[in-house]
Amino acid sequence: MHAPSPPAFPQIWRNPTLKIVVCMKETPSTEVPKSLGADMRLVRNPSDTIINPFDEYTIEEGLRQQEKLGGDVIILTMGPGTTNDPMRRALAMGATSGVLVSDPALAGSDAVATGRVLAAALKKLEADLVLFGQSSADAYGGIVPSITAEFMGMPLLSYATKVEVAGNNVTIEREAEVGYTTATAPLPALVSVAKAINNNPRYPSMKGIMTAKKKPIETWTLADLGLDAAQVGAGAAKERVTGATPVSTQRRREIYNGSAGAAQRIFEFLVENKII
Amino acid sequence: MDFTLTDEQLSIQQTCRAFAEEAIKPIAREIDEKSEFPLALIKEMGKMGLMGLPIPEQYGGAGADFLSYCLALEEIARGDASVAITMEAHISLGSTPFYLYGTEEQKQKYLVPLAQGEQLWAFGLTEPGAGSDSGGTQTRAERVGDEWVVNGAKMFITNAGTPISGGVTVTAVTGKRPDGRNAITNLIIPTGTPGYVIGPPLKKMGWKASDTRPLNFDDCRVPAENVLGEEGNGFHQFMQILDAGRVAIAALCVGLAQACLDESLHYAKERKQFGKPISSFQAIQFKLADMAMEVELARLMYYKAAWLHMQGQPFGKEAAMAKLFASEASKRAADQAVQIHGGYGFMDDFPVSRYWRNVKVNEIGEGTSEVQRILIAKYLDAR
């Protein structure tokens, strides 16, 4: 006979020390027309900065996990930090605290540098469960979660439409062409949350708004993360935007007169355009 | 002079604006047509902390300041008048008296569930025969042993008959003052008290989704401890309550007027006559300009009254002026909104017909326009 195996550690079920970190991006308001500067970077107006709309689902998911499991929800963001509005809003929704990584050397960072920085910050935070949105509403890259996971050497479960933490594991459901697939990884792990999770992000509560200012927001620089300025920013970027063209939305119309052969023509049109 | 709102005030305003747009406006027509109290919505507002917005945290509220509460009401009213009046009556008339005059025990017992939005509370002042003449209250309460025995009737009472109504605070004559006038006392009457009969919902021209009922008290007995505040001081207490309530009603009216302007501007840009959008005609532009000016003026008036209140300065005159001007401005705005919409404005398919029905009562409730003018004249010492 052998001794019963010890409980899996870390014991996550209602764990007061659980750290759920939500990576949030501050993006330009979707109501304001976007424009690019001469450097091909998005012009950002601090007063029109909002929580990346995809990240609202992620914050909601983080708060729901916290309500079930206990622990803290920490908002991690990297940006110029010219305004705290999106961060305060996330705190008003119910998050525990915030960390802003801000350094002049970060300007112009590409997705790889962003992943490097977030990975360093997440390691410093000793996150148990890291949640990302599916992408950002300004760049739509959608690759930062995988790059961050790679730098951390941790599993990433992507495009989750359901997140379930049990014991020391996180399990997700992901929409497939037919039905859904499930995937499981041991904690600590990263999960990117799909918009299709449709979890009805909450409004900030009035109490949340009144107490958001009292919640701590730490600001970390590259030095705090032990990173070298040469590894990040425009200089280290492996990708460069060389040009941008507005999407053309010209309508192409074809009017078919007469009834003879109309059905055949519609059928051919649909086939030609690979609609059927 | 600084009109800048604090971060918290701005955030409350923005959150309420989004909530009104996304959660209230889409159901406003339906609840009006069905005269249906929006229970699920009010419960959601309770969870968000809106139903206890200006009540301190220690009593279950959000601890926001009075202006924040008014800003929230303006935005909620922009979404729907019935929802806004439910919130206003619950906070200004139902909950605030407990906060201002309640004992610590009463605050814990009654105020906490109200501020948390678990219950609604009503305030019963108006009677079938005593409207503007609130001193002419006929409802009587007699002290018998350790109890008050209440007999009488109240009229047009908001929030008394919803599924989550916790009770009503009523004004009742409990004796004579030294000067021979009636001594009025506020009494706490929980829902379900024998002899407290809640009448059927009244059928109204507007505010159709809010709960408005007649109440009857037939040998209704409550313990002696159910006095709210000082015995015999009820008249003075509800005068104070109504002062602050008027500022809140002014904010509510500004929301209604703003909604009229929003719809009118939108419609005027879309509607074409003589080959041009009607917004390009001066006749329409002047209407829009006047509406915008009056909305702004009414808003400034409630801001100032709220500010005075928050500074602990006298604000009764400014409150009466703000309520009077805002209610009449919202009626003018609704009238012009229907006019700008033409025939469509008379149809229920456009919200302005509902707005037009909803604005009238603001010239009546919580002190008629005539009472406001009498009050203002009193402050001027015009005799």
Side-chain angles (χ1 to χ4, degrees), chain A residues 85 89 92 203-207 209-211 213-214, chain B residues 7-8 15 19 22 48-49 53 60-64:
Chain A
D85 290 356
R89 185 178 155 87
Y203 293 94
S205 77
M206 299 298 116
K207 267 186 203 175
I209 290 171
M210 295 307 292
T211 52
K213 257 200 183 156
K214 294 174 203 152
Chain B
D7 289 347
E8 286 81 3
T15 302
F19 181 74
E22 294 157 10
M48 280 172 71
L53 187 53

mmCIF file of all heavy atoms in Angstrom, chain A residues 85 89 92 203-207 209-211 213-214, chain B residues 7-8 15 19 22 48-49 53 60-64:
data_model
loop_
_atom_site.group_PDB
_atom_site.id
_atom_site.type_symbol
_atom_site.label_atom_id
_atom_site.label_comp_id
_atom_site.label_asym_id
_atom_site.label_seq_id
_atom_site.Cartn_x
_atom_site.Cartn_y
_atom_site.Cartn_z
ATOM 1 N N ASP A 85 -7.556 56.140 -18.548
ATOM 2 C CA ASP A 85 -8.990 55.864 -18.637
ATOM 3 C C ASP A 85 -9.349 54.405 -18.884
ATOM 4 O O ASP A 85 -10.161 53.837 -18.154
ATOM 5 C CB ASP A 85 -9.640 56.760 -19.694
ATOM 6 C CG ASP A 85 -9.675 58.217 -19.251
ATOM 7 O OD1 ASP A 85 -9.269 58.478 -18.102
ATOM 8 O OD2 ASP A 85 -10.102 59.065 -20.038
ATOM 9 N N ARG A 89 -11.199 52.055 -16.218
ATOM 10 C CA ARG A 89 -12.483 51.431 -16.551
ATOM 11 C C ARG A 89 -12.438 49.930 -16.245
ATOM 12 O O ARG A 89 -13.389 49.367 -15.698
ATOM 13 C CB ARG A 89 -12.814 51.660 -18.024
ATOM 14 C CG ARG A 89 -14.184 51.137 -18.398
ATOM 15 C CD ARG A 89 -14.521 51.427 -19.861
ATOM 16 N NE ARG A 89 -15.503 50.461 -20.349
ATOM 17 C CZ ARG A 89 -16.815 50.605 -20.230
ATOM 18 N NH1 ARG A 89 -17.295 51.682 -19.670
ATOM 19 N NH2 ARG A 89 -17.643 49.696 -20.681
ATOM 20 N N ALA A 92 -12.770 49.580 -12.679
ATOM 21 C CA ALA A 92 -14.151 49.847 -12.266
ATOM 22 C C ALA A 92 -15.045 48.645 -12.567
ATOM 23 O O ALA A 92 -16.036 48.413 -11.878
ATOM 24 C CB ALA A 92 -14.684 51.097 -12.965
ATOM 25 N N TYR A 203 -21.154 46.191 -17.336
ATOM 26 C CA TYR A 203 -20.898 47.619 -17.192
ATOM 27 C C TYR A 203 -20.114 47.804 -15.900
ATOM 28 O O TYR A 203 -20.304 47.046 -14.949
ATOM 29 C CB TYR A 203 -22.212 48.395 -17.079
ATOM 30 C CG TYR A 203 -23.035 48.375 -18.326
ATOM 31 C CD1 TYR A 203 -24.037 47.430 -18.506
ATOM 32 C CD2 TYR A 203 -22.816 49.298 -19.331
ATOM 33 C CE1 TYR A 203 -24.798 47.407 -19.659
ATOM 34 C CE2 TYR A 203 -23.576 49.284 -20.486
ATOM 35 C CZ TYR A 203 -24.567 48.333 -20.649
ATOM 36 O OH TYR A 203 -25.316 48.313 -21.796
ATOM 37 N N PRO A 204 -19.262 48.817 -15.843
ATOM 38 C CA PRO A 204 -18.633 49.111 -14.551
ATOM 39 C C PRO A 204 -19.733 49.387 -13.535
ATOM 40 O O PRO A 204 -20.729 50.023 -13.870
ATOM 41 C CB PRO A 204 -17.831 50.387 -14.814
ATOM 42 C CG PRO A 204 -17.698 50.498 -16.280
ATOM 43 C CD PRO A 204 -18.886 49.801 -16.879
ATOM 44 N N SER A 205 -19.603 48.881 -12.324
ATOM 45 C CA SER A 205 -20.612 49.190 -11.310
ATOM 46 C C SER A 205 -20.303 50.570 -10.736
ATOM 47 O O SER A 205 -19.184 51.071 -10.851
ATOM 48 C CB SER A 205 -20.599 48.144 -10.195
ATOM 49 O OG SER A 205 -19.503 48.372 -9.343
ATOM 50 N N MET A 206 -21.316 51.178 -10.137
ATOM 51 C CA MET A 206 -21.129 52.519 -9.566
ATOM 52 C C MET A 206 -20.089 52.470 -8.437
ATOM 53 O O MET A 206 -19.245 53.352 -8.319
ATOM 54 C CB MET A 206 -22.456 53.063 -9.048
ATOM 55 C CG MET A 206 -23.524 53.207 -10.118
ATOM 56 S SD MET A 206 -23.074 54.366 -11.445
ATOM 57 C CE MET A 206 -23.018 53.283 -12.859
ATOM 58 N N LYS A 207 -20.176 51.413 -7.623
ATOM 59 C CA LYS A 207 -19.172 51.260 -6.555
ATOM 60 C C LYS A 207 -17.788 51.088 -7.165
ATOM 61 O O LYS A 207 -16.799 51.598 -6.661
ATOM 62 C CB LYS A 207 -19.497 50.032 -5.708
ATOM 63 C CG LYS A 207 -20.344 50.346 -4.506
ATOM 64 C CD LYS A 207 -20.493 49.107 -3.627
ATOM 65 C CE LYS A 207 -21.747 49.269 -2.804
ATOM 66 N NZ LYS A 207 -22.076 48.117 -1.993
ATOM 67 N N ILE A 209 -16.718 52.263 -9.979
ATOM 68 C CA ILE A 209 -16.248 53.569 -10.466
ATOM 69 C C ILE A 209 -15.713 54.392 -9.292
ATOM 70 O O ILE A 209 -14.655 55.023 -9.390
ATOM 71 C CB ILE A 209 -17.388 54.328 -11.186
ATOM 72 C CG1 ILE A 209 -17.722 53.631 -12.515
ATOM 73 C CG2 ILE A 209 -17.018 55.785 -11.419
ATOM 74 C CD1 ILE A 209 -18.969 54.149 -13.211
ATOM 75 N N MET A 210 -16.461 54.351 -8.183
ATOM 76 C CA MET A 210 -16.067 55.170 -7.030
ATOM 77 C C MET A 210 -14.770 54.677 -6.380
ATOM 78 O O MET A 210 -14.059 55.446 -5.748
ATOM 79 C CB MET A 210 -17.191 55.202 -5.983
ATOM 80 C CG MET A 210 -18.474 55.882 -6.462
ATOM 81 S SD MET A 210 -18.232 57.541 -7.135
ATOM 82 C CE MET A 210 -17.748 58.437 -5.663
ATOM 83 N N THR A 211 -14.485 53.374 -6.521
ATOM 84 C CA THR A 211 -13.286 52.845 -5.847
ATOM 85 C C THR A 211 -12.111 52.640 -6.806
ATOM 86 O O THR A 211 -11.008 52.339 -6.364
ATOM 87 C CB THR A 211 -13.592 51.503 -5.150
ATOM 88 O OG1 THR A 211 -14.197 50.624 -6.106
ATOM 89 C CG2 THR A 211 -14.534 51.681 -3.977
ATOM 90 N N LYS A 213 -10.191 54.551 -8.397
ATOM 91 C CA LYS A 213 -9.015 55.408 -8.182
ATOM 92 C C LYS A 213 -8.161 54.926 -7.015
ATOM 93 O O LYS A 213 -6.980 55.247 -6.935
ATOM 94 C CB LYS A 213 -9.465 56.848 -7.927
ATOM 95 C CG LYS A 213 -9.278 57.714 -9.138
ATOM 96 C CD LYS A 213 -9.257 59.178 -8.787
ATOM 97 C CE LYS A 213 -9.151 59.988 -10.057
ATOM 98 N NZ LYS A 213 -9.681 61.334 -9.896
ATOM 99 N N LYS A 214 -8.816 54.211 -6.089
ATOM 100 C CA LYS A 214 -8.067 53.745 -4.913
ATOM 101 C C LYS A 214 -7.293 52.465 -5.227
ATOM 102 O O LYS A 214 -6.483 52.023 -4.429
ATOM 103 C CB LYS A 214 -9.035 53.498 -3.751
ATOM 104 C CG LYS A 214 -9.711 54.761 -3.240
ATOM 105 C CD LYS A 214 -10.765 54.428 -2.177
ATOM 106 C CE LYS A 214 -11.785 55.543 -2.084
ATOM 107 N NZ LYS A 214 -13.107 55.064 -1.639
ATOM 108 N N ASP B 7 -13.314 62.727 -12.566
ATOM 109 C CA ASP B 7 -13.194 61.452 -13.295
ATOM 110 C C ASP B 7 -14.369 60.532 -12.974
ATOM 111 O O ASP B 7 -14.910 59.861 -13.847
ATOM 112 C CB ASP B 7 -11.885 60.741 -12.914
ATOM 113 C CG ASP B 7 -10.674 61.451 -13.497
ATOM 114 O OD1 ASP B 7 -10.872 62.316 -14.381
ATOM 115 O OD2 ASP B 7 -9.546 61.146 -13.069
ATOM 116 N N GLU B 8 -14.749 60.507 -11.692
ATOM 117 C CA GLU B 8 -15.846 59.622 -11.276
ATOM 118 C C GLU B 8 -17.169 60.086 -11.884
ATOM 119 O O GLU B 8 -17.952 59.277 -12.365
ATOM 120 C CB GLU B 8 -15.974 59.596 -9.741
ATOM 121 C CG GLU B 8 -14.889 58.809 -9.030
ATOM 122 C CD GLU B 8 -13.604 59.601 -8.853
ATOM 123 O OE1 GLU B 8 -13.567 60.798 -9.240
ATOM 124 O OE2 GLU B 8 -12.622 59.029 -8.339
ATOM 125 N N THR B 15 -21.015 55.689 -18.340
ATOM 126 C CA THR B 15 -21.561 54.349 -18.130
ATOM 127 C C THR B 15 -23.085 54.368 -18.241
ATOM 128 O O THR B 15 -23.684 53.501 -18.876
ATOM 129 C CB THR B 15 -21.123 53.800 -16.762
ATOM 130 O OG1 THR B 15 -19.696 53.790 -16.712
ATOM 131 C CG2 THR B 15 -21.632 52.395 -16.530
ATOM 132 N N PHE B 19 -25.423 52.513 -20.913
ATOM 133 C CA PHE B 19 -26.456 51.598 -20.395
ATOM 134 C C PHE B 19 -27.836 51.992 -20.930
ATOM 135 O O PHE B 19 -28.623 51.143 -21.354
ATOM 136 C CB PHE B 19 -26.442 51.614 -18.863
ATOM 137 C CG PHE B 19 -27.452 50.700 -18.242
ATOM 138 C CD1 PHE B 19 -27.258 49.328 -18.238
ATOM 139 C CD2 PHE B 19 -28.607 51.205 -17.659
ATOM 140 C CE1 PHE B 19 -28.193 48.476 -17.677
ATOM 141 C CE2 PHE B 19 -29.549 50.363 -17.093
ATOM 142 C CZ PHE B 19 -29.344 48.992 -17.100
ATOM 143 N N GLU B 22 -28.000 51.079 -24.661
ATOM 144 C CA GLU B 22 -27.948 49.653 -25.005
ATOM 145 C C GLU B 22 -29.017 48.818 -24.293
ATOM 146 O O GLU B 22 -29.487 47.816 -24.821
ATOM 147 C CB GLU B 22 -26.555 49.092 -24.660
ATOM 148 C CG GLU B 22 -25.454 49.680 -25.519
ATOM 149 C CD GLU B 22 -24.076 49.586 -24.872
ATOM 150 O OE1 GLU B 22 -23.940 48.905 -23.837
ATOM 151 O OE2 GLU B 22 -23.150 50.208 -25.397
ATOM 152 N N MET B 48 -25.930 47.090 -10.548
ATOM 153 C CA MET B 48 -24.895 48.045 -10.978
ATOM 154 C C MET B 48 -24.628 49.117 -9.928
ATOM 155 O O MET B 48 -23.697 49.906 -10.066
ATOM 156 C CB MET B 48 -25.333 48.745 -12.266
ATOM 157 C CG MET B 48 -25.117 47.933 -13.516
ATOM 158 S SD MET B 48 -25.875 48.760 -14.937
ATOM 159 C CE MET B 48 -24.769 50.171 -15.140
ATOM 160 N N GLY B 49 -25.488 49.164 -8.898
ATOM 161 C CA GLY B 49 -25.301 50.173 -7.859
ATOM 162 C C GLY B 49 -26.024 51.474 -8.149
ATOM 163 O O GLY B 49 -25.835 52.467 -7.447
ATOM 164 N N LEU B 53 -27.064 55.001 -5.637
ATOM 165 C CA LEU B 53 -25.904 55.781 -6.116
ATOM 166 C C LEU B 53 -25.385 56.815 -5.108
ATOM 167 O O LEU B 53 -24.191 56.816 -4.809
ATOM 168 C CB LEU B 53 -26.259 56.413 -7.466
ATOM 169 C CG LEU B 53 -25.163 57.136 -8.223
ATOM 170 C CD1 LEU B 53 -23.937 56.261 -8.397
ATOM 171 C CD2 LEU B 53 -25.670 57.580 -9.589
ATOM 172 N N GLY B 60 -24.649 50.459 2.092
ATOM 173 C CA GLY B 60 -24.915 49.663 0.902
ATOM 174 C C GLY B 60 -24.930 50.428 -0.404
ATOM 175 O O GLY B 60 -25.165 49.851 -1.468
ATOM 176 N N GLY B 61 -24.702 51.737 -0.353
ATOM 177 C CA GLY B 61 -24.735 52.540 -1.578
ATOM 178 C C GLY B 61 -23.377 52.600 -2.253
ATOM 179 O O GLY B 61 -22.424 51.946 -1.843
ATOM 180 N N ALA B 62 -23.334 53.414 -3.330
ATOM 181 C CA ALA B 62 -22.072 53.551 -4.068
ATOM 182 C C ALA B 62 -21.248 54.730 -3.553
ATOM 183 O O ALA B 62 -20.086 54.875 -3.896
ATOM 184 C CB ALA B 62 -22.356 53.723 -5.555
ATOM 185 N N GLY B 63 -21.868 55.590 -2.755
ATOM 186 C CA GLY B 63 -21.121 56.702 -2.171
ATOM 187 C C GLY B 63 -20.763 57.802 -3.143
ATOM 188 O O GLY B 63 -19.792 58.531 -2.933
ATOM 189 N N ALA B 64 -21.553 57.939 -4.213
ATOM 190 C CA ALA B 64 -21.269 59.016 -5.169
ATOM 191 C C ALA B 64 -21.877 60.317 -4.648
ATOM 192 O O ALA B 64 -22.745 60.305 -3.776
ATOM 193 C CB ALA B 64 -21.856 58.671 -6.527
#
